[in-house]
Amino acid sequence: MTDQQYDFDLFTIGGGSGGVRASRFAAQYGARVALAEKQYLGGTCVNVGCIPKKLLSYAAHYHDDLKDAAGFGWEIGEAKFDWKKLIANKDEEISRLNGVYSNILSGAGVTTFNGHATIEDAHTVIVNGQHITARYILIATGGRPTWPEIPGKELGMVSDEFFHMQELPEHAIVAGGGYIAVELAAILNGLGTKVTLVNRGSLILRGMDADLGKFLTQEMLKKGIDVRCETKFASIEKGEGETRHVRFNNGDTLDVNAVIFATGRHANTENMGLEAAGVTLTSNGGVEVDENFRTSVPSIYAVGDVINRVALTPVALAEGMVVASTLFDSGACQMSYANIPTAVFSHPNVSTVGLTEDAARKKYGKIKVFKSDFKALKHTISGSKERVFMKLIVDEASDVVVGVHMVGADAGEIIQGFAVALQSGATKAQFDSTIGVHPTIAEEFVTMRTPVKDAE
Ligand code: NDP
């Protein structure tokens, strides 16, 4: 077939962050593009991820803000919180965003199909019974929560349902110790639910610099979250009324109103005809791709959570840009996974860019580590016991800063600028010669002068 004989130049399966970005840019580069989405435009991030999570996190922060206000002279009467109102307002914003995504696609000239698409062969997709041919196919079907194998697990829920709960539970167990677990625990805690976080490992936020998990655990405990590490579920049964009776492997039991599993996510690769088309998967269940996101079938590409590399929206966007550029522009756009900044919207926030202390030591041998742990100015009179933690990791030989880590208010906002610094190869001497913004929390990153002794 010549290129013009295909119905489209690109057929994208999945209307989330990566799929929409690749489709929009491909269309802007002149390609004839179609996209199929079976559920909702915007994918996980817009509908059951980043956006609703952040809105609910804002809601939960008012709990601390209202308490902190007293120290600043405010007398606030009894505050009441309405979960249904928050969820309705959140849903309204998400519907608006679904519309924005739809407009982005139609504005770029992308043809959208509402329906489940399967791959018939290297150049054919079936959607709503229609066989559609394309020069290239892009798999951008994302991922979904993983349910742990626990007897009675069906009495629990995953993050998708969390965002649509009818009532705020009085007491909830959040299972897991990763991004989603600590974020949902913080939201529920802030909104007034009694929260028990159950983590099977010895430390939360495994994979990040260990000091972050340790520090955040202390902050969560201060806020009244019952953090239980090295604890596994034995079973979940129906208790009295709507309660859940949970047994743990150490013999402990709890009766709660909700059990929320935040025990990881996996790629959406089923029922799409991938095997029949010859698309190879990796050992972790993602679609295998090369540096240009091409799968084992030369005309089929994949980006985002479905490739199971780094499950972050900005990463999916960047990967989508590479595909559009590779297929329909100069191909100059390349993907780098170095120095990806990320934030966990726990309370307080955690943020990080670059290497953990362990990874830096392995890579560079001799490193310098700078740490700071302090009470922010705001809390000198707010009465809050919340503290801030900051950490810099420097390669001793080159003086280049290779890791920046933080737990504290607005850590997610603060880390973005430091990601630019790391991406530009900034040295510790350049950090030191940067003038601080006073009085802020962030200025501490340019005023740390004495390395930690035992890390040298
Ligand atoms: P994570 O991989 O971050 O954490 C999963 C957690 O579940 C770990 O603590 C893991 O324990 C635990 N776990 C896994 N299986 C079981 C099991 N069978 N029983 C008990 N515990 C279990 O996954 P999340 O679901 O939290 O998040 C998925 C990804 O989504 C993140 O990695 C991130 O990329 C992205 N994300 C990003 C956000 C952001 O940018 N703010 C927010 C939310 C998600 P163990 O450590 O022992 O394996």
Side-chain angles (χ1 to χ4, degrees), residues 201-218:
S202 57
L203 187 63
I204 60 169
L205 298 182
R206 189 170 66 83
M208 290 195 176
D209 190 282
D211 280 334
L212 298 176
K214 286 181 201 159
F215 196 87
L216 181 65
T217 300
Q218 294 312 312

Side-chain angles (χ1 to χ4, degrees), residues 115-317:
H116 177 80
T118 52
I119 298 175
E120 188 176 27
D121 61 41
H123 293 282
T124 314
V125 165
I126 310 173
V127 59
N128 300 335
Q130 239 180 299
H131 295 247
I132 299 163
T133 59
R135 187 172 157 207
Y136 299 110
I137 295 168
L138 174 64
I139 305 164
T141 47
R144 64 179 187 281
T146 304
W147 290 75
E149 284 312 320
I150 298 167
K153 63 176 191 282
E154 62 286 351
L155 294 169
M157 67 177 98
V158 292
S159 51
D160 291 1
E161 287 108 24
F162 168 83
F163 291 112
H164 298 105
M165 284 189 309
Q166 293 296 312
E167 308 283 342
L168 189 63
E170 213 174 293
H171 184 182
I173 290 176
V174 179
Y179 276 79
I180 299 179
V182 299
E183 290 180 343
L184 300 191
I187 288 169
L188 288 166
N189 171 256
L191 298 180
T193 295
K194 182 176 172 194
V195 180
T196 305
L197 184 96
V198 175
N199 179 38
R200 67 179 176 183
S202 57
L203 187 63
I204 60 169
L205 298 182
R206 189 170 66 83
M208 290 195 176
D209 190 282
D211 280 334
L212 298 176
K214 286 181 201 159
F215 196 87
L216 181 65
T217 300
Q218 294 312 312
E219 291 301 313
M220 289 168 77
L221 291 170
K222 277 191 230 167
K223 290 186 191 296
I225 298 176
D226 173 16
V227 181
R228 301 188 186 187
C229 286
E230 290 177 341
T231 306
K232 288 184 179 157
F233 288 79
S235 65
I236 307 172
E237 289 158 21
K238 250 184 170 273
E240 255 178 56
E242 285 302 303
T243 59
R244 271 73 178 119
H245 182 68
V246 182
R247 286 175 205 276
F248 299 103
N249 61 341
N250 57 11
D252 287 353
T253 60
L254 273 181
D255 286 292
V256 297
N257 310 93
V259 180
I260 303 159
F261 299 118
T263 46
R265 296 179 61 86
H266 60 278
N268 282 329
T269 55
E270 299 91 356
N271 307 322
M272 283 176 55
L274 294 189
E275 269 176 38
V279 174
T280 308
L281 302 186
T282 59
S283 56
N284 70 8
V287 172
E288 189 174 87
V289 290
D290 67 10
E291 67 280 8
N292 288 322
F293 304 98
R294 184 188 275 213
T295 70
S296 51
V297 180
S299 58
I300 302 181
Y301 286 67
V303 293
D305 289 5
V306 77
I307 65 170
N308 218 346
R309 282 187 179 169
V310 182
L312 296 173
T313 288
V315 171
L317 298 179

Side-chain angles (χ1 to χ4, degrees), residues 21 23 31 34 37 50 66 95 160 188 291 299 309 342 425:
R21 177 59 67 95
S23 302
E37 169 57 54
C50 328
L66 291 167
S95 300
D160 291 1
L188 288 166
E291 67 280 8
S299 58
R309 282 187 179 169
T342 176

